[in-house]
Amino acid sequence: VVTSAGNLAVNTITVNTSIADVGTHFIAYQAEDNGTPSGVAYDTLVINVFNCLSSGDPASLYFDGDDDHVVIEHHSEFQSGGEGTYSAWVYPEAPSGSGECPFMYKDEQFFLGLNSSNNVPVFKVYIDETWYSVNGTTNLTSSEWNHVAGVLTGSEIQIIVNGALEGTASANGVANTSTSELYIGANLNSGKYFKGRLDELRMWVHAYTPDEINENRFELGAASSSYLKAHYKCTNEVVLTNSMATNHGTLINFDLSDCWKPNYAGVWNGSESSDFNNKNNWEEGLIPDPVGSGSLEANQFVIVKPVTSGANSLVIDEIIEVNSIVFNDLNNTSLTSDGHLKVLENLYSFGSITNSGSVTFKGTIDQHIYGENNFNNLNIDANVFLQQNQNILGVLTLNTGILDVNDNELTIVSTEYQAGSVFHNSGNINGNVTMQRYLNHNASSFGWHYMTSPISNATALQIDDDLSLIGFGNGPRGYPWPNLMLYDETNSNADESWWGADNIDTELQSMEGFVIYVPKIERMIDFTGALNTGSISKLITNSGSGNPAIDGWNFIGNPYPSIIDWDLVEIPYLMANAFYIYDYNNERYMSYVGGIGTNGGSNKIATMQGFLVNTSSTTTLELTNDVRTLGDNASIFKSVNQDILLRIKIEGNNVSDETVIRFKDDATANFDLEYDAYKLIAGGKSSNLYTELGDDKISINSIPAPLADEIIPLFLEVGFTGDYSFSLSIEGDLDTNIQVFIKDLQEDILYDINSHDPYSFSFKKTDTRDRFNLIVKKSSNTLKGENSELSVIYSNRMLSLTGLKGSSFMQIINITGQVVESMNMSGNYQKNISLEDFTMGTYIVHLVSNSGTIVRKIVIN
């Protein structure tokens, strides 16, 4: 302690101290006025530090004072030669003046600073009485924090700016050892002073690589290192800055209540909870501010440190906005499904976080993603550049700007439950993307998967690297059986419509469907390339060969890396609105048309999903980005229903199937392209339940709402003899006066399926397929057995009328409204009427009897 009184003026005070123990040491000085004439004026404080940090562990020196400048004179370990790394966080003002100004400088040993005229960083070392110099290429951004490091390797010197190597120069040998003073923020010998702020100044006796420096610049000296020999950390109360008035490097003690200035980062310590918005969880007690408010400056960086004993991990469960955020290794951060992290600058991930929420990049300048990440939902609202490989487990949404893959790997991940997806708004991707699709294996099924490619110019080779392809050029009856097959509607031979790819270079065109056979174990199939986007068209053909099993059936696929909404697709003229997907788990087809689906079909078609459509005339189907949508990207979806539906389901022997009767006012008597869907028969162990329109099997049958009793024949085919059951679910507001029955013609049982449990029965493979009727009955008309049951059944040009009672009258009307047959009948009996002479077409049968009235449409082929 030096005291003085009177007119004594002390220009320099020198303090000698030895610090041998590890810890934090405060060296404070204060100028006191004892009240005598001129007070005290201290120009310079010199601190001689001996044996500093002799244990080799990192520590920090904190300086508190209000004088003009500080000179720190080092002894012992600070006289380091050989390899070295010198780094600092710097916050320069706009370029002004000339010459080189130091961040740290030791005469005849090293210099780390910048050129005052352009803010370009400079690093120098003194070897064998010669200064070697290297300059950066970046003009340091003024009024922002930048990290600058100089490295001496023994053979060259390097300068690294913001984690990137910017310059090298040859410098063979060992740096000189010097007993000169270490200057921070000034060079008193030349009169040069750094204009700006400094923080986290560090020196190591080790040459770190650019990648190591990139990570260590955010570590705040927390990692133990025997190489760390000096660490000068300015706290928020004490910021090393430059006085505009005196142009000297000084330590200024700011008033927290008035003009507090933060250091280069807001740092999480989790001392109280996991809440981002709790100020006690942040060093200096201030929550990071991304924009600056009042006297507070914006935080350029937010750093989440490794979790230490007794600290709480950060949990982001709400909307959080930051500039740049840094996740250090072992940070243990969780972004929950309710959390949303919005980044205005860059993201640095040196340790992965648990991520089930959303991350959005929304800056006004180019943004970067450093480190490998497993994003859930990633939103791009700016130009973003990848610096390492990235995975997307949920949805990548390209709102605006360009996501530049930058020669890294961007993978859209698939799991056994759903696949990731890419949704384009106005944004786009520059570079190749890998799109995965998980294909499971069901030991009891055939293992065929309907697929398509999400990239342009894909070939069979993209599948062969995941599943060895065989049977090139063979058909389904060839040997070996091809495990990749395409479909050709123009081939009139049903056995040859499915055919193996010609060779490994066969192109899998956009919107072209193909099937893959997955044997024994599940597989992950991936495609890498430019993702499909924009308008994509495909010719949908009807070759008119006369083979109804082939004609008009086209195998296509969703070409986009995202879900499409079939309800948004503009269906061309004469193409049916329905689509059909093969359910490989249950060996049955899902169908969807006009708002409803069977067996799980809906308006949503997953990415890389192949499906069948039908057209009565050759046409072109065009898809655009307008049909793309978001949602669960699985291959099976629940149906959406707006009309009154009778959904009849058959179950038994571990298989199931369903058919739907839809009551829709604007449905017509013929096959409605917009509302009806064919039944595609699945083989093997499957059961197949359907209705018919003429000779066509129907999975979704749309008819006008019944005005009277309606009898609808059900058709059933099973793969195994055994016990089965029918169940009924009604969707929509069915008239409460309507009852629904199952009529088992073989067992002569009338079962109220609407009011009771499922109807159970035994069924042989050899049983007649038209054994059951679905009866929709107005409750005002009672059913008392078969003699009182009125029905109209059509099959193979034979019309069967049953349940006639008393006087009955029948008319058959063609589609133009002309009565082509009329008949009066009397008595209680059944009557069969041959329609062999009728021309092909759709007809309405109108039957009126004392037991009821039936209006039934039939199609004669």
Side-chain angles (χ1 to χ4, degrees):
V1 177
V2 179
T3 60
S4 61
N7 293 322
L8 176 64
V10 181
N11 294 323
T12 301
I13 291 181
T14 300
V15 178
N16 297 325
T17 181
S18 175
I19 303 175
D21 59 320
V22 177
T24 300
H25 303 273
F26 293 85
I27 301 175
Y29 67 99
Q30 182 179 11
E32 293 185 352
D33 183 349
N34 290 331
T36 50
S38 62
V40 181
Y42 298 154
D43 291 331
T44 304
L45 171 68
V46 177
I47 304 174
N48 293 326
V49 184
F50 298 90
N51 301 320
C52 182
L53 311 179
S54 60
S55 67
D57 290 330
S60 301
L61 294 176
Y62 292 77
F63 298 95
D64 186 4
D66 58 1
D67 211 274
D68 289 337
H69 52 262
V70 174
V71 177
I72 302 174
E73 184 173 334
H74 296 281
H75 301 269
S76 185
E77 284 80 358
F78 286 123
Q79 300 174 25
S80 59
E83 294 183 351
T85 300
Y86 309 85
S87 70
W89 280 96
V90 301
Y91 187 98
E93 296 178 3
S96 63
S98 61
E100 294 173 342
C101 298
F103 313 139
M104 291 189 292
Y105 164 62
K106 199 173 187 186
D107 192 26
E108 296 186 350
Q109 185 171 344
F110 79 93
F111 173 98
L112 183 66
L114 54 68
N115 188 317
S116 297
S117 64
N118 55 19
N119 280 4
V120 171
V122 179
F123 176 56
K124 298 180 180 181
V125 294
Y126 192 71
I127 300 174
D128 294 335
E129 299 183 354
T130 301
W131 281 103
Y132 293 84
S133 178
V134 63
N135 295 336
T137 59
T138 298
N139 299 73
L140 298 182
T141 306
S142 59
S143 300
E144 286 189 12
W145 285 104
N146 304 261
H147 188 268
V148 180
V151 179
L152 169 62
T153 69
S155 61
E156 68 177 15
I157 55 175
Q158 305 171 344
I159 190 163
I160 299 165
V161 181
N162 293 323
L165 179 64
E166 288 203 354
T168 62
S170 296
N172 291 307
V174 176
N176 184 46
T177 57
S178 170
T179 59
S180 300
E181 297 85 359
L182 170 68
Y183 292 101
I184 295 178
N187 180 353
L188 297 185
N189 295 328
S190 66
K192 299 294 183 181
Y193 300 90
F194 169 65
K195 291 186 177 182
R197 283 182 257 160
L198 298 171
D199 196 10
E200 295 286 334
L201 300 104
R202 292 187 285 185
M203 292 183 287
W204 292 270
V205 287
H206 178 71
Y208 283 105
T209 66
D211 286 342
E212 290 172 327
I213 290 174
N214 186 39
E215 182 171 355
N216 285 334
R217 63 184 169 131
F218 298 113
E219 285 288 350
L220 302 104
S224 176
S225 169
S226 60
Y227 301 120
L228 182 62
K229 293 304 178 183
H231 178 203
Y232 304 104
K233 177 180 175 63
C234 300
T235 67
N236 287 331
E237 288 82 7
V238 182
V239 178
L240 185 62
T241 189
N242 197 55
S243 169
M244 295 298 294
T246 62
N247 208 34
H248 288 178
T250 61
L251 291 168
I252 297 178
N253 188 0
F254 285 102
D255 182 350
L256 287 177
S257 63
D258 179 46
C259 56
W260 179 89
K261 301 292 183 184
N263 288 337
Y264 85 100
V267 182
W268 171 267
N269 59 30
S271 60
E272 187 167 291
S273 68
S274 295
D275 183 9
F276 184 96
N277 289 311
N278 183 341
K279 67 178 184 179
N280 296 327
N281 290 320
W282 295 92
E283 289 187 4
E284 313 304 331
L286 285 169
I287 302 167
D289 185 354
V291 294
S293 56
S295 63
L296 300 184
E297 290 184 356
N299 288 93
Q300 188 172 343
F301 296 93
V302 175
I303 297 179
V304 187
K305 299 191 301 184
V307 178
T308 58
S309 177
N312 296 283
S313 302
L314 173 62
V315 176
I316 302 175
D317 55 6
E318 56 184 319
I319 298 176
I320 300 299
E321 192 169 88
V322 297
N323 287 320
S324 288
I325 190 164
V326 181
F327 295 106
N328 280 330
D329 192 21
L330 304 178
N331 65 85
N332 204 30
T333 300
S334 295
L335 177 61
T336 72
S337 57
D338 295 325
H340 193 161
L341 176 63
K342 296 185 176 182
V343 183
L344 302 177
E345 293 184 5
N346 301 324
L347 184 147
Y348 302 83
S349 180
F350 302 110
S352 60
I353 70 173
T354 302
N355 191 338
S356 58
S358 297
V359 177
T360 296
F361 286 83
K362 50 172 293 185
T364 56
I365 60 175
D366 289 348
Q367 298 181 259
H368 301 82
I369 302 176
Y370 297 92
E372 296 186 0
N373 296 274
N374 292 320
F375 291 104
N376 182 39
N377 296 326
L378 178 62
N379 307 305
I380 303 300
D381 292 352
N383 291 332
V384 179
F385 294 81
L386 303 186
Q387 302 300 325
Q388 275 83 32
N389 300 336
Q390 309 296 325
N391 294 326
I392 311 292
L393 284 73
V395 180
L396 169 60
T397 303
L398 303 164
N399 289 320
T400 57
I402 295 176
L403 175 60
D404 196 320
V405 179
N406 200 19
D407 293 328
N408 294 287
E409 295 179 7
L410 175 60
T411 303
I412 312 301
V413 177
S414 175
T415 68
E416 60 181 304
Y417 303 107
Q418 72 170 47
S421 60
V422 180
F423 187 73
H424 284 77
N425 283 321
S426 298
N428 217 325
I429 295 179
N430 182 16
N432 291 332
V433 180
T434 295
M435 195 86 190
Q436 293 183 345
R437 186 72 198 191
Y438 176 92
L439 302 181
N440 72 350
H441 171 70
N442 187 338
S444 61
S445 70
F446 284 120
W448 288 106
H449 294 258
Y450 281 26
M451 294 192 66
T452 193
S453 168
I455 67 171
S456 57
N457 302 319
T459 66
L461 180 61
Q462 294 249 18
I463 298 173
D464 184 72
D465 61 1
D466 303 310
L467 173 68
S468 295
L469 298 180
I470 59 175
F472 286 113
N474 290 341
R477 299 184 185 277
Y479 183 83
W481 199 22
N483 53 357
L484 166 66
M485 289 196 294
L486 308 176
Y487 186 83
D488 183 6
E489 187 276 340
T490 63
N491 195 324
S492 61
N493 186 336
D495 289 338
E496 297 178 357
S497 295
W498 295 100
W499 206 263
D502 290 339
N503 52 59
I504 202 73
D505 296 320
T506 297
E507 183 177 353
L508 306 175
Q509 299 177 2
S510 297
M511 219 163 117
E512 178 181 30
F514 52 84
V515 294
I516 298 178
Y517 174 64
V518 179
K520 298 182 181 179
I521 60 174
E522 63 276 1
R523 302 281 176 157
M524 186 71 75
I525 304 295
D526 59 48
F527 291 87
T528 300
L531 294 178
N532 288 327
T533 187
S535 175
I536 300 175
S537 300
K538 183 171 177 57
L539 188 68
I540 307 298
T541 61
N542 186 314
S543 57
S545 67
N547 185 346
I550 300 298
D551 287 348
W553 287 102
N554 288 257
F555 189 34
I556 63 174
N558 172 9
Y560 299 116
S562 62
I563 302 167
I564 62 173
D565 185 341
W566 190 251
D567 288 341
L568 300 178
V569 176
E570 184 175 347
I571 305 299
Y573 179 64
L574 294 181
M575 175 178 156
N577 194 25
F579 70 83
Y580 309 84
I581 294 176
Y582 182 65
D583 177 2
Y584 47 81
N585 281 319
N586 299 292
E587 291 191 341
R588 64 187 183 186
Y589 282 90
M590 300 180 292
S591 58
Y592 174 82
V593 64
I596 63 169
T598 61
N599 295 325
S602 84
N603 57 316
K604 304 293 180 61
I605 302 176
T607 184
M608 296 171 70
Q609 178 66 60
F611 57 95
L612 288 158
V613 295
N614 184 268
T615 183
S616 57
S617 178
T618 296
T619 186
T620 298
L621 176 64
E622 180 184 13
L623 300 179
T624 68
N625 281 345
D626 291 337
V627 308
R628 299 169 70 169
T629 187
L630 301 174
D632 291 332
N633 201 3
S635 59
I636 299 175
F637 299 86
K638 294 181 179 179
S639 62
V640 178
N641 149 36
Q642 297 178 342
D643 302 309
I644 299 173
L645 309 181
L646 305 181
R647 191 179 296 275
I648 306 98
K649 187 174 184 179
I650 180 74
E651 293 181 284
N653 288 295
N654 297 317
V655 296
S656 64
D657 194 29
E658 66 182 20
T659 191
V660 171
I661 308 298
R662 167 170 38 191
F663 297 140
K664 191 169 187 65
D665 290 340
D666 56 347
T668 64
N670 58 346
F671 182 90
D672 296 302
L673 293 177
E674 295 183 1
Y675 304 133
D676 292 333
Y678 294 108
K679 176 67 178 182
L680 300 184
I681 300 298
K685 68 176 184 179
S686 63
S687 58
N688 294 277
L689 179 65
Y690 53 91
T691 59
E692 285 190 347
L693 288 177
D695 292 332
D696 291 326
K697 299 176 175 65
I698 305 297
S699 63
I700 300 174
N701 192 354
S702 299
I703 61 176
L707 301 176
D709 298 342
E710 185 82 19
I711 299 177
I712 304 170
L714 298 176
F715 298 87
L716 177 63
E717 301 175 31
V718 299
F720 293 101
T721 295
D723 294 330
Y724 295 87
S725 66
F726 280 123
S727 61
L728 171 72
S729 63
I730 300 176
E731 302 172 23
D733 298 325
L734 184 66
D735 190 333
T736 56
N737 293 320
I738 292 180
Q739 296 173 283
V740 182
F741 299 85
I742 287 287
K743 175 66 176 181
D744 187 336
L745 300 176
Q746 178 175 294
E747 302 297 330
D748 195 19
I749 294 175
L750 186 67
Y751 188 82
D752 185 351
I753 195 172
N754 189 23
S755 305
H756 296 85
D757 294 333
Y759 175 63
S760 299
F761 58 94
S762 295
F763 198 89
K764 299 183 179 67
K765 288 184 65 174
T766 56
D767 284 353
T768 177
R769 63 188 184 95
D770 57 353
R771 171 177 160 180
F772 300 97
N773 285 339
L774 184 74
I775 301 175
V776 181
K777 186 73 175 175
K778 291 283 189 178
S779 60
S780 57
N781 298 327
T782 59
L783 292 174
K784 297 180 180 179
E786 184 161 342
N787 287 336
S788 62
E789 179 185 322
L790 186 65
S791 68
V792 175
I793 300 174
Y794 171 77
S795 179
N796 296 325
R797 290 186 175 262
M798 182 64 69
L799 196 64
S800 297
L801 312 178
T802 62
L804 300 175
K805 184 177 180 180
S807 297
S808 302
F809 173 74
M810 182 199 71
Q811 282 187 331
I812 300 178
I813 305 167
N814 66 18
I815 196 65
T816 65
Q818 178 184 4
V819 177
V820 295
E821 182 73 39
S822 61
M823 184 179 299
N824 290 305
M825 298 161 284
S826 61
N828 302 334
Y829 62 97
Q830 175 176 326
K831 185 174 182 62
N832 296 324
I833 303 170
S834 175
L835 303 181
E836 287 292 340
D837 296 334
F838 279 56
T839 60
M840 290 188 297
T842 301
Y843 298 86
I844 301 296
V845 178
H846 189 186
L847 176 63
V848 179
S849 180
N850 289 344
S851 56
T853 300
I854 290 179
V855 178
R856 170 106 154 82
K857 68 177 178 181
I858 61 174
V859 178
I860 300 176
N861 293 321

